[in-house]
Amino acid sequence: MDITFLKRLATTSIGRKALMAVSGLLLGGFMLVHLAENLLLFKGEAAYNGWVDLLASNPVTPLLEIGLLLIFIAHIITGVWVRVEDFLNAPSGYEARNWQGGRTIGSATMLYTAAAVLSYLTYHMLTFRFVDHSMGFYQMVTGAFRSRAFVVVYIAGSAALALHLSHGMQSAFQTLGLNHPKYTPLIKIGGILVAVLMTGFALISVYYLLGIDLKAAEAGYQVVIIR
Ligand code: HEM
């Protein structure tokens, strides 16, 4: 990408907002892919570990991880920057933020849900990413989800993520000027749908906490080999 273009994006207020919007949409896209990956847990140990091994052995994966990290960093920096700028530029006694798409619980709590998601992500990285994986990913993840404390973090974190995206997704489209009487309602519905899907992370953890997989296996539902 042209470096002067990136410089212009970072040094103008509108550019920083666009950067925040684009990085936010990319992160939303990553979350959907990551949710789909984690649904593989329901297909069992071989399917889940097979997918993670495939990713780990792909030479492109480290590049994607670096890209993802840069997108996260860009989103956090531009998010804080835009917020501080809005605060400093607002006339005193006036609402600090001109909310795009009207004031909702999602828009009013953006800063708090952002902090909660960042803490959730840090916890997630410390417990799943930067640890010994020798027991296998499936065992690590499902084992962790047998713990009540762990699942409480996942429920709270996923709720914060859902609330953040309930405003963030549609706001990003508005920032990028993608407004149209016909499509804006669809974008709003799409944003809410993505937000609701984020509760899937919590539901997966609750599934293992309640031992539904073990009960299904006991009842003989899990492995059917037809020869
Ligand atoms: C059911 C819930 C989830 C499960 C089971 C899960 C599982 C995992 C696992 C096993 C890894 C490590 C992969 C590796 O080391 O190669 C990982 C990485 C990651 N997860 Fe999650 N995750 C969940 C939810 C989330 C949520 C809610 C977020 C965001 C807030 C998130 C963000 C990430 C990121 C950014 C990475 C690093 C990507 C990479 O380096 O490949 N995950 N996840």
Side-chain angles (χ1 to χ4, degrees):
M1 195 184 281
D2 186 355
I3 193 79
T4 51
F5 174 68
L6 273 181
K7 226 169 153 182
R8 257 215 331 265
L9 273 183
T11 52
T12 60
S13 165
I14 191 92
R16 284 189 287 273
K17 282 185 180 160
L19 215 54
M20 177 172 71
V22 171
S23 55
L25 290 177
L26 289 173
L27 291 176
F30 164 74
M31 293 317 306
L32 289 177
V33 173
H34 198 46
L35 180 63
E37 285 178 310
N38 285 312
L39 288 178
L40 278 176
L41 284 166
F42 297 135
K43 283 203 88 179
E45 186 164 359
Y48 191 71
N49 287 350
W51 171 250
V52 181
D53 288 345
L54 191 73
L55 279 184
S57 61
N58 190 328
V60 181
T61 302
L63 296 178
L64 292 178
E65 285 183 347
I66 293 171
L68 185 62
L69 180 66
L70 292 177
I71 293 169
F72 260 111
I73 292 173
H75 190 67
I76 294 168
I77 292 179
T78 51
V80 172
W81 198 332
V82 164
R83 246 327 172 75
V84 170
E85 231 166 27
D86 278 353
F87 178 75
L88 294 178
N89 293 339
S92 56
Y94 181 74
E95 179 61 69
R97 181 79 152 83
N98 181 18
W99 294 104
Q100 310 232 26
R103 197 157 169 90
T104 58
I105 312 175
S107 63
T109 54
M110 280 310 262
L111 208 57
Y112 308 109
T113 52
V117 170
L118 189 59
S119 314
Y120 175 33
L121 182 62
T122 307
Y123 180 74
H124 181 58
M125 291 292 111
L126 292 178
T127 49
F128 281 174
R129 183 72 174 81
F130 303 115
V131 287
D132 176 20
H133 293 140
S134 56
M135 71 170 83
F137 281 89
Y138 180 87
Q139 288 300 340
M140 173 188 74
V141 169
T142 55
F145 289 162
R146 309 273 182 220
S147 146
R148 222 176 276 170
F150 209 97
V151 172
V152 166
V153 173
Y154 269 65
I155 293 173
S158 304
L161 182 61
L163 207 53
H164 195 73
L165 294 193
S166 72
H167 175 73
M169 296 306 273
Q170 49 172 302
S171 172
F173 279 102
Q174 287 201 13
T175 299
L176 296 174
L178 301 171
N179 269 322
H180 189 281
K182 207 161 139 195
Y183 302 118
T184 301
L186 287 180
I187 288 173
K188 279 194 177 171
I189 293 171
I192 298 291
L193 191 66
V194 172
V196 170
L197 284 175
M198 293 303 109
T199 58
F201 290 113
L203 293 178
I204 292 174
S205 67
V206 169
Y207 176 87
Y208 290 99
L209 179 70
L210 298 180
I212 298 175
D213 59 321
L214 302 176
K215 285 175 198 152
E218 255 172 46
Y221 291 140
Q222 205 184 31
V223 186
V224 180
I225 301 172
I226 302 168
R227 289 181 194 276

